[in-house]
Amino acid sequence: MKNLKILPVFNPFDRSLIQEIPMQGKEELEKALETAYRLFTDRKSWLPPHARIAVLGKLETLMREKAEELTILASTEGGKPYMDSRVEIHRAINGVRIAAEEIGRLKGTQIPMGLTAASTGRLAFTMREPIGVVAAISAFNHPLNLIVHQVVTAFAAGCPAIVKPAGTTPMTCLRFVELMQDAGVPTGWVQALILDNEDAEILATDKRVSYLSFIGSAKVGWYLKSKLSPGTRCALEHGGAAPVIVDHDVALEKVVPALAKGGFYHAGQVCVSVQRVFVHHGIARKLAMQLSEAAQKLKVGNPLDPTTEVGPLILPKEADRIHNWTQDAIEEGAELLCGGNKLGETCYAPTVLWNPSDKSKVSQEEIFGPVVCVYSYEDLDVAIAAANAIPYHFQAAVFSRNLDTALYCVQNLQASAVMVNDHTAFRVDWMPFGGWDASGEGVGGIGYTMREMTREKLMVMKSEVF
């Protein structure tokens, strides 16, 4: 009898065992790849746009009916507070609707002919076709919405998809794939596999995969890209250490709550979480103290408690890492304004650090935890240079009442998106979303991803009629 590997799934708050899930191995992976590739290469099996739209409409309805179940499931295995998990589920439902709407926007354009004598007598236009099999490797921090962005987009674009969810949050993905099947997704078009890292690499690098969607660490993402088969397109989302510039003229009563939300939402486990806040010296200390006060008022604890605002880190080792980074920063000169301590095995107190060294890890690397660093600046250009000094360039923000100052920061910050008078973690699912440089490659967002998962084909028709 075959010896099955088992993946244990733990509640990140109390570390209780939720479920043990059988894992798939190389044999099941090969079967999944064969199925997906066969579906793609047989055009007769392709689903017409109206059929995909109908399935996604049914899926949206099912998700609305199961919204509470999905909220509790995602919160239980992922640790995101119930109030935020509920928002995520409704975002995911909206994402399904957006994908259905975007199907009708996957279109080509006419290419002008007759511009030279040699091109007369021709009509030319492009059309968009599915790129092929999509392999999606996902992350834990948004266990449903990320799957929508990686898998529903593939289905909507007409691509067979194989998804490998994060090992810490597989249950939400598996339940969602069940709902997709209940909505009418034909067998084989969306397959979920619970794989170890070795087999996940095989999935990502198989020559039958035409598109890799990866959300996770930069180390793993860039490694997988180096191993991709020739012609495989990829989207890599690695995260960053989001900078914020705060001008002297702002209303602190508006800025501080935004920074607290952007920095401590989901315990800072967000790829565009507020991390490095550069504040004009005239108000820097005042802002830092008010942010510290706001952080100390946040309720930390059980994510299933509807009043909890900050839940646990996904694993005990992450709480340990964040604590070590914080203590190192203090030893290197940072002043601890609040927090700086573990609250149990996986919860960490919301932490504010004042003027850490630019050499500290908290200033150089993504914290991915509930720690916000506040720095005082006198010269705006120096602050912008510090914000740009590390290789992670994702979303940034500037708070200012002066339009010229805000626009100057927008122009000069190295970031794929700059929020004006809002925190760095703002996102809606129809906007472009993706990091520059070490923060990743490719552009996310429902419609943008769907276009990335298709490719253009040109038809040139020669006729005496033209």
Side-chain angles (χ1 to χ4, degrees), residues 214-263:
F214 174 85
I215 302 175
S217 73
K219 179 180 179 180
V220 175
W222 295 123
Y223 170 78
L224 289 178
K225 183 186 176 183
S226 73
K227 299 292 184 179
L228 293 181
S229 293
T232 300
R233 192 182 296 173
C234 69
L236 310 174
E237 186 182 307
H238 296 152
V244 181
I245 305 291
V246 182
D247 199 5
H248 67 89
D249 59 357
V250 300
L252 290 182
E253 67 272 15
K254 295 181 179 180
V255 175
V256 170
L259 294 178
K261 182 63 177 179

Side-chain angles (χ1 to χ4, degrees), residues 318-367:
E318 291 303 306
D320 292 338
R321 176 188 60 80
I322 291 163
H323 184 66
N324 291 337
W325 284 24
T326 300
Q327 295 306 309
D328 288 345
I330 294 170
E331 292 176 6
E332 293 159 354
E335 180 183 350
L336 178 67
L337 299 185
C338 72
N341 60 290
K342 292 172 60 178
L343 302 173
E345 195 174 4
T346 53
C347 287
Y348 200 79
T351 298
V352 178
L353 295 174
W354 170 257
N355 272 336
S357 165
D358 59 6
K359 304 299 183 184
S360 296
K361 280 189 175 181
V362 297
S363 299
Q364 289 289 319
E365 301 289 339
E366 181 179 31
I367 297 172

